[in-house]
Amino acid sequence: MSDLSAEDAKLVTLARAARARTRAAEGAAVRDSDGRTYSACTVALDTVDLTALQLAVAMALASGVKGLEAAAVVTEADTADINVVRHFAGAAIPVVLADATGEVRNVINT
């Protein structure tokens, strides 16, 4: 995580913690345009499937945020669906993709 800013490294840490608490497939965290953070993990029920990133964005929206600055997803998958960030926050929002150890594998911009 050394190449990340301190604020983006914090998002990875929050995403790792959300994932670890529940042993979920993914953890995610987002930072809103006021600097507040929201973290979540994957929800996989018989009738509802939400990615960690979808839930983190939904939590931010439920809190009344107007925009996002950045996001992070911790997963063992090679990629993450970032459409929810793109649809809400627009273009050029960085989404850090990291593994369970916090090793950054990629930064994807919406």
Side-chain angles (χ1 to χ4, degrees):
M1 288 191 299
S2 61
D3 292 346
L4 296 179
S5 70
E7 290 299 311
D8 288 349
K10 176 183 173 183
L11 289 179
V12 172
T13 299
L14 290 169
R16 286 181 68 206
R19 181 178 185 260
R21 272 194 304 275
T22 61
R23 297 185 181 121
E26 293 180 341
V30 297
R31 183 174 59 251
D32 72 14
S33 52
D34 291 326
R36 295 174 297 199
T37 57
Y38 306 85
S39 62
C41 64
T42 306
V43 173
L45 304 172
D46 290 340
T47 56
V48 177
D49 282 317
L50 294 170
T51 68
L53 191 55
Q54 288 170 335
L55 188 52
V57 170
M59 291 172 65
L61 285 167
S63 295
V65 305
K66 302 295 185 216
L68 297 178
E69 289 182 348
V73 178
V74 173
T75 182
E76 294 304 319
D78 293 332
T79 189
D81 183 356
I82 63 168
N83 285 326
V84 67
V85 175
R86 182 179 296 116
H87 290 301
F88 172 61
I93 305 298
V95 180
V96 177
L97 185 63
D99 67 17
T101 67
E103 175 89 20
V104 175
R105 292 185 291 174
N106 200 1
V107 179
I108 308 162
N109 289 298
T110 59

